[in-house]
Amino acid sequence: MQVNSEQIPTEDLTNPQQMPDQSRSAGSNSPGSARGGSGRAGSGRARGDSAVVDLSTGDLEKAAALRRMKRLALALLIGMAVIFTVAFAFQKQFPWLEYVRAAAEGGMVGALADWFAVTALFKYPMGLKIPHTAIIPRRKDQIGESLSDFVESNFLSQEVVQDKLASIDIARKAGTWLSAPGGAERVAKEGGAIIRGAFTVLNDDDVQAVIEGMVRKHLLTPPWGPPVGRMAERIFADGHHHTLVDLLVDRAADWVEANHATVNRLVSDRSPLWVPTFVDGLVGDRVYVELSKFVRAVQSDQNHQVRQSIDAYLTDLAQDLQHDPAMIERAESIKAQILGDPEVRELASRTWGTVKTALLNAVDDPDSELSQRFKGAVRDFGTRLVNDDELAGKVNAWIGDAAGYLVNTYRSDIAGVISDTVARWDAEETSQKIELQVGKDLQYIRINGTVVGALAGLAIFTVAHLLFG
C-alpha cells in the first residue's frame, strides 16, 4: 500500500499522541516489528488505507520529506495543466502560446507517465489491477530470493571473506586490545559471567550423574590388574622402587636402634617361666645385636639377599597382576571394596562441589590468584599477538580458514535468512517501508519527468512547426 500525502494525515506522522489507537499482532514478523519501531522513544504510527505502520523518529522525518516531495511533484503537474489550459484557450489570439501549450502538454505527459511508473512500484495505480504494477507487494518473495542469491553469489564466497579478513589483520587488532589496560579485565569479567551463568543453568544432580558415569566408565569398568601390573613392571624394571625400599630399611634401622628395651621385653615375655631372668637378658641382648647387624647389613648392601628377594617378589607380583586370573580377580575384589556405589557417588559429589565452589569464589574475587593468573595470561597472549609475526600469521590463517569453512558450508543457510525474513513480512507494510526509504528520491523522477517532458514537447513541436508549418 503506497504511503502518500492523501492517505497519511499530517498529524498522524508528526504527533505520536494523535496516532490511532490500533495495535498489531504481537507475533508479527513485518519489518516494522522486526525493527522495534513501536518500542522506541519518539516513534509514531502511520495509517494507510488498510494497514498501520510503526514509525520510528527517523521514519517520521522521512515520511514528512516524502510528503513534501509528492506535493512538489503534484504542484508541477497542476501547474502544467493550468498553463496548458490557458495557452490552449488563447493560442489563436497569441500564436506564440502554441509553443507554451506544447511544452505544458509534454510536461503533463511526462509527469503522468513518471507518476504511473513510480506508483506502479508500490501499488496498483488508482486501484486498477494493471499488469506489471504493484511490483513490490506482488513480487516481494521473488525480490527477497533474488537479493538472497545476489548476496550469496557476490559476498558469501571464501575468497571475498578471506581477503577481507586478511586486510583487517584481526590478530594484531585483538592483541592490541587484549594487551591494553582494561582488555584482559573485560575478558575476565565476561568469562566470569559465562561461568556463573553456566553454573546457574547446570543442575548439580545432572552434573554429578555425568561425573559418576565417567568414573564408572573409565575407572571402574576396565579391570585394574593388567594396567596396574604393566605400570608396576616398568617401575620395578627401572628401579624406581628402590627409593621406597631404602626408606623402609632406614626406618627399620632407626626403630631397632631406639627400641633395645622393647626387644629385651619381647624376648623375656616369650621365654618359659623357669628360665632365669639374667638368661632372658643375655638372650635379649644377643637378639638385639643380631637384629641390628642384620638391619645395618640390609641398609648398607644394595645387593643384599633381602633386597633381591623384595625385587623378585615385586616382579612376580607385577606379572601375576597381568596374567594370573586369580590375582586379577583379587585386584577386582579390592577395587570393588574401595570404590563401591556409595563411594563413587560421594566422590562425584565432592568433586563437583569442590570445582564449583573454587571457580565461583575465584571469578567473584577479581584479586583471586586464578583471576590474576588468567588476566596475566590474556595480557601475555595479546602482547605475543602484537610482537610475534609468526603467531599473528597463524592466528590470522586460522580465522580465515574457519571463516572460509563456515561460508562454504553454510552460505546457503546464511543467505536464506534474507529470503525467509522477507517472505514473513507483510506485503503492504513492506511496500510502505521501502517507499519511506527511497520514495523521496523517486519523486525526483516525477519532477524530472515533468521538466524533460516539457522540453521534449517544446522541441518536438518546434521541429514539426519548422518542417511542416
Side-chain angles (χ1 to χ4, degrees):
M1 184 66 66
Q2 184 182 13
V3 183
N4 56 38
S5 57
E6 290 76 16
Q7 295 167 336
I8 303 179
T10 303
E11 64 272 18
D12 285 350
L13 290 173
T14 57
N15 189 349
Q17 279 70 34
Q18 298 180 9
M19 297 298 157
D21 185 15
Q22 302 181 43
S23 62
R24 295 157 11 116
S25 170
S28 172
N29 288 314
S30 62
S33 62
R35 293 176 54 183
S38 61
R40 285 181 281 188
S43 64
R45 289 189 166 191
R47 181 180 60 210
D49 292 342
S50 60
V52 177
V53 182
D54 293 326
L55 295 179
S56 65
T57 302
D59 288 340
L60 290 173
E61 296 174 355
K62 291 176 182 178
L66 173 62
R67 195 166 55 249
R68 288 193 298 269
M69 292 303 300
K70 285 186 175 182
R71 288 172 179 169
L72 176 58
L74 179 61
L76 287 177
L77 174 60
I78 294 173
M80 288 295 174
V82 171
I83 293 173
F84 172 80
T85 301
V86 173
F88 186 83
F90 296 100
Q91 62 183 347
K92 292 184 179 180
Q93 291 88 340
F94 305 98
W96 59 271
L97 287 178
E98 293 180 351
Y99 292 92
V100 177
R101 184 214 67 199
E105 187 176 13
M108 286 192 299
V109 172
L112 290 172
D114 287 337
W115 166 83
F116 182 89
V118 172
T119 302
L121 289 173
F122 305 102
K123 61 177 254 181
Y124 293 111
M126 297 182 294
L128 301 176
K129 293 187 177 182
I130 302 171
H132 305 294
T133 58
I135 295 174
I136 291 177
R138 283 194 312 106
R139 298 181 58 83
K140 169 180 65 69
D141 293 348
Q142 292 88 334
I143 293 173
E145 292 175 359
S146 298
L147 180 60
S148 176
D149 293 340
F150 175 78
V151 171
E152 180 179 351
S153 302
N154 295 277
F155 294 95
L156 296 179
S157 67
Q158 182 174 359
E159 293 76 13
V160 172
V161 172
Q162 289 183 332
D163 290 344
K164 182 62 178 177
L165 291 176
S167 65
I168 296 176
D169 194 3
I170 294 179
R172 281 196 167 81
K173 290 183 181 296
T176 301
W177 182 76
L178 292 174
S179 59
E185 285 72 12
R186 179 65 181 274
V187 173
K189 180 180 178 181
E190 298 300 332
I194 292 174
I195 292 176
R196 284 190 293 270
F199 283 151
T200 301
V201 173
L202 292 175
N203 183 278
D204 289 349
D205 293 336
D206 294 339
V207 176
Q208 292 172 16
V210 171
I211 296 175
E212 183 178 346
M214 294 177 63
V215 170
R216 293 186 183 280
K217 178 180 179 181
H218 300 287
L219 187 62
L220 296 184
T221 302
W224 280 15
V228 171
R230 287 191 293 269
M231 180 176 63
E233 185 178 18
R234 288 194 296 270
I235 292 175
F236 300 154
D238 295 336
H240 297 304
H241 66 291
H242 290 159
T243 301
L244 178 60
V245 173
D246 290 341
L247 176 61
L248 294 176
V249 173
D250 292 340
R251 293 301 301 270
D254 293 339
W255 184 89
V256 171
E257 183 178 355
N259 289 273
H260 187 182
T262 302
V263 173
N264 286 341
R265 187 176 65 253
L266 291 174
V267 172
S268 176
D269 291 342
R270 285 161 175 76
S271 66
L273 294 177
W274 50 268
V275 177
T277 303
F278 75 92
V279 175
D280 290 340
L282 293 175
V283 174
D285 292 340
R286 186 61 182 177
V287 170
Y288 174 78
V289 171
E290 293 299 327
L291 181 61
S292 297
K293 290 181 180 179
F294 174 77
V295 172
R296 284 196 296 270
V298 174
Q299 186 179 26
S300 60
D301 186 1
Q302 293 296 321
N303 293 319
H304 194 277
Q305 183 178 359
V306 172
R307 291 180 179 270
Q308 293 177 359
S309 298
I310 293 175
D311 291 346
Y313 172 78
L314 294 176
T315 302
D316 292 341
L317 177 62
Q319 291 296 322
D320 291 342
L321 286 171
Q322 297 179 67
H323 308 294
D324 185 1
M327 183 60 71
I328 295 175
E329 183 62 29
R330 290 181 61 185
E332 291 301 298
S333 176
I334 295 173
K335 177 183 71 176
Q337 294 176 10
I338 296 175
L339 294 176
D341 287 343
E343 289 78 8
V344 172
R345 283 192 290 271
E346 183 180 359
L347 174 64
S349 176
R350 286 202 309 269
T351 301
W352 171 241
T354 302
V355 171
K356 182 177 179 179
T357 302
L359 284 177
L360 286 178
N361 291 339
V363 299
D364 288 337
D365 182 8
D367 297 325
S368 66
E369 183 178 359
L370 178 62
S371 295
Q372 294 298 326
R373 287 182 178 275
F374 179 75
K375 294 175 186 177
V378 171
R379 283 190 290 266
D380 291 342
F381 181 68
T383 302
R384 287 191 60 196
L385 284 177
V386 175
N387 299 325
D388 191 336
D389 294 338
E390 183 179 359
L391 177 61
K394 289 181 179 179
V395 172
N396 283 329
W398 180 84
I399 294 174
D401 292 341
Y405 171 79
L406 292 175
V407 167
N408 281 339
T409 306
Y410 301 105
R411 58 187 299 178
S412 298
D413 297 326
I414 297 172
V417 173
I418 299 174
S419 59
D420 294 342
T421 302
V422 173
R424 291 194 300 267
W425 287 352
D426 176 75
E428 292 187 0
E429 187 176 351
T430 300
S431 177
Q432 294 174 11
K433 279 289 185 180
I434 294 177
E435 185 178 12
L436 282 179
Q437 304 304 316
V438 301
K440 178 182 176 182
D441 294 327
L442 292 178
Q443 297 309 308
Y444 281 107
I445 295 177
R446 295 177 58 186
I447 297 172
N448 293 337
T450 303
V451 176
V452 172
L455 295 176
L458 177 60
I460 293 172
F461 180 81
T462 301
V463 171
H465 188 74
L466 292 175
L467 295 178
F468 307 105

